[in-house]
């Protein structure tokens, strides 16, 4: 009798756990769907700075010439219009006066597209394919001569569902050109 009661309690406990877990999973699925919907709405409102049709090789060659002329470094923000974190970062920098000022004073900025339409494989390969290692966005810093001097994983700049102003400011300040 004792074994039967223990077995019944065990089976009942497993059933109760399964039922509770199923309800929790259902809530999680609903929460995931709500987050997906919110992200899609946010993405629809943000500017789309990436251009799959662009000739990235030519564009980068031209911005390096401009960077040399203006004694600035180059920030290549690699990603795509499909990437909510890429769009958030772009918008955050553009809408935060202190960050925008640092960028405008020290960098020529370029959005290097990576998408099914145009993966820019030759360009990404020349920079060591950082998207494969870090995901997107990923930042590639070039000096005024076009030499790659740093690659930055964007995850370390995040805070909550956005970016940390202090971390982003420190990143831009760390890689701006040394003024003589």
């Amino acid at each position: 009798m004792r074994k039967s009661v223990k077995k019944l309690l065990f089976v009942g406990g497993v059933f109760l756990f399964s039922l509770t877990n199923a309800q929790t999973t259902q809530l999680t699925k609903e929460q995931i769907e709500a987050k997906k919907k919110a992200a899609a709405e946010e993405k629809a409102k943000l500017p789309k700075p990436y251009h799959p049709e662009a000739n990235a090789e030519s564009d980068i060659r031209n911005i390096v010439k401009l960077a040399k002329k203006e004694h600035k470094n180059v920030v290549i923000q690699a990603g795509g219009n499909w990437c909510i974190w890429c769009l958030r970062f772009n918008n955050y920098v553009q809408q935060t006066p202190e960050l925008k000022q640092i960028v405008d004073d020290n960098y020529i900025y370029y959005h290097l597209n990576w998408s099914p339409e145009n993966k820019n494989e030759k360009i990404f390969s020349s920079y060591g394919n950082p998207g494969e290692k870090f995901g997107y966005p990923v930042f590639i810093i070039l000096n005024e001569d076009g030499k790659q001097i740093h690659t930055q994983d964007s995850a370390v700049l995040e805070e909550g569902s956005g970016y940390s102003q202090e971390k982003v400011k420190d990143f831009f300040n760390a890689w701006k050109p040394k003024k003589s």
Side-chain angles (χ1 to χ4, degrees):
M1 175 93 168
R2 213 178 232 179
K3 286 184 181 180
S4 297
V5 171
K6 284 183 180 180
K7 191 173 188 179
L8 185 59
L9 286 174
F10 176 76
V11 171
V14 169
F15 177 73
L16 185 59
F17 175 78
S18 298
L19 184 61
T20 305
N21 194 33
Q23 289 173 341
T24 304
T25 302
Q26 183 60 36
L27 289 174
T28 303
K29 286 179 183 176
E30 289 170 0
Q31 291 170 338
I32 289 170
E33 288 305 313
K35 285 185 177 191
K36 283 182 182 178
K37 183 180 177 189
E41 289 171 358
E42 178 186 2
K43 193 164 36 168
K45 293 177 186 174
L46 293 171
K48 308 298 183 286
Y50 295 92
H51 300 283
E53 73 286 352
N55 180 337
E57 192 171 2
S58 173
D59 289 350
I60 292 171
R61 194 170 36 252
N62 289 333
I63 63 169
V64 167
K65 287 178 188 174
L66 182 60
K68 187 162 190 76
K69 180 180 175 187
E70 295 185 13
H71 303 292
K72 294 182 176 182
N73 283 347
V74 174
V75 174
I76 298 175
Q77 180 180 324
N81 293 329
W82 52 269
C83 168
I84 188 69
W85 285 95
C86 300
L87 301 180
R88 282 177 180 160
F89 190 87
N90 175 69
N91 193 60
Y92 184 64
V93 170
Q94 294 302 312
Q95 299 299 317
T96 307
E98 183 179 16
L99 297 177
K100 185 169 177 11
Q101 190 67 57
I102 294 169
V103 168
D104 290 348
D105 289 349
N106 297 288
Y107 296 96
I108 305 297
Y109 213 96
Y110 185 72
H111 291 89
L112 176 59
N113 183 77
W114 188 95
S115 68
E117 301 87 10
N118 186 354
K119 295 181 181 179
N120 282 304
E121 292 169 312
K122 183 177 177 187
I123 298 293
F124 276 99
S125 177
S126 71
Y127 296 126
N129 292 312
E132 290 178 9
K133 181 177 181 182
F134 298 117
Y136 298 99
V138 63
F139 306 95
I140 303 160
I141 308 294
L142 310 178
N143 68 13
E144 68 177 46
D145 296 317
K147 180 180 180 238
Q148 184 176 355
I149 58 173
H150 183 67
T151 303
Q152 179 68 51
D153 177 4
S154 65
V156 299
L157 306 175
E158 295 173 9
E159 186 172 82
S161 62
Y163 289 93
S164 160
Q165 185 170 343
E166 279 307 306
K167 290 176 184 176
V168 173
K169 185 173 92 172
D170 289 347
F171 161 60
F172 284 135
N173 280 329
W175 296 101
K176 65 186 183 182
K178 310 296 182 234
K179 303 291 180 182
S180 36

